[in-house]
Amino acid sequence: MHVGAHVSVAGGVDNAIERQTEVGGNCGQIFTASPQVWAGPDIADDEATRFRDSDLGPWVIHASYLVNLATPKDDLREKSIASLQAECDAAARLGIEFVNVHLGAHTGAGVENGLDNAASAIDDLDVPSGVTLLIESDAGSGTKLGDEFAHLAAVCDRSHTDIGFCLDTAHTFAAGYDLSSPDAVAETVAAFDDTVGLGDLHCLHLNDSKHACGTNKDEHAHVGEGEIGVDGMRAIINDDAFRDLPFVLETPTENGNGFAWNIDRVRELRAASSTSQ
């Protein structure tokens, strides 16, 4: 079972390895730089070597929050492409399989234009061999794209690049796809498969939600402690469509619990299902 957390690279990207081990993870996700500024990766050769030599994985690089592939603005588009290209190149250097990014917002240009813009921006990238760009599902608010499975499918259809996808369970739930029971999970999985295709799903951001289904509110909760709840999270963790994917936690640190507690909870919910069978 591949389960881990989004950990810090403070002091060097190779420090993510020890931090992941400390919380009990065996795969994970990182930012290569602050996600709030246009700062590219700054990785020393010795750091990259130590990271590549680790047995943990798979790993995901999460792109900067500033990246907006769907934007109609030329300057923001250019910055977004340059930033994402740098992350893809860093992934190749580090031996990381996946770079994860949101589609962004069309900011008034309209859904279809936004999807066209995103597909075009993706095709302006030179994604290195061995690296796959993943488009993450979104909670959906304002003019953000990616909350509908149809948006993900449309970008895949319009792009000439071999992209994949990452489902965030909290985002998917907030976007209106129910995940709070085994039946609801099965229905949502079927909807994704029919619209996008499970063969292109490579990662799951495993987060519970502090807000109800369909609220478009993106706020993560501890596994089993939010609106998705224990039954829903257990069904997700053990669904045949997901169980072999890397589960990456972006859960909060609050109420005395952090990543280690959530990783243990995920393993307990997998074990509980195995025992019941």
Side-chain angles (χ1 to χ4, degrees), residues 84-165:
L84 193 52
Q85 182 66 59
E87 300 291 11
C88 290
D89 293 341
R93 254 188 96 199
L94 294 169
I96 290 178
E97 296 179 43
F98 305 116
V99 174
N100 183 75
V101 67
H102 294 267
L103 290 176
H106 65 72
T107 63
V111 171
E112 294 303 316
N113 286 333
L115 294 171
D116 284 342
N117 290 341
S120 174
I122 290 169
D123 286 343
D124 279 350
L125 295 168
D126 181 12
V127 181
S129 175
V131 177
T132 301
L133 183 67
L134 303 183
I135 308 302
E136 181 180 345
S137 61
D138 202 277
S141 62
T143 65
K144 288 182 179 179
L145 300 175
D147 56 316
E148 297 180 22
F149 293 161
H151 294 171
L152 307 181
V155 170
C156 187
D157 290 342
R158 298 176 198 198
S159 171
H160 302 296
T161 304
D162 186 14
I163 61 174
F165 299 96

Side-chain angles (χ1 to χ4, degrees), residues 5-7 9 13 16 27-35 39-43 51 58-65 67 83-102 128 131-136 166 203 205 246 248 250:
H6 184 119
V7 293
V9 298
V13 67
C27 67
Q29 181 175 269
I30 59 172
F31 291 123
T32 63
S34 170
D42 183 14
I43 302 168
F51 190 95
W59 286 89
V60 182
I61 290 177
H62 196 301
S64 168
Y65 292 139
V67 170
S83 176
L84 193 52
Q85 182 66 59
E87 300 291 11
C88 290
D89 293 341
R93 254 188 96 199
L94 294 169
I96 290 178
E97 296 179 43
F98 305 116
V99 174
N100 183 75
V101 67
H102 294 267
V131 177
T132 301
L133 183 67
L134 303 183
I135 308 302
E136 181 180 345
C166 170
C203 180
H205 282 174
V248 175
E250 301 169 322

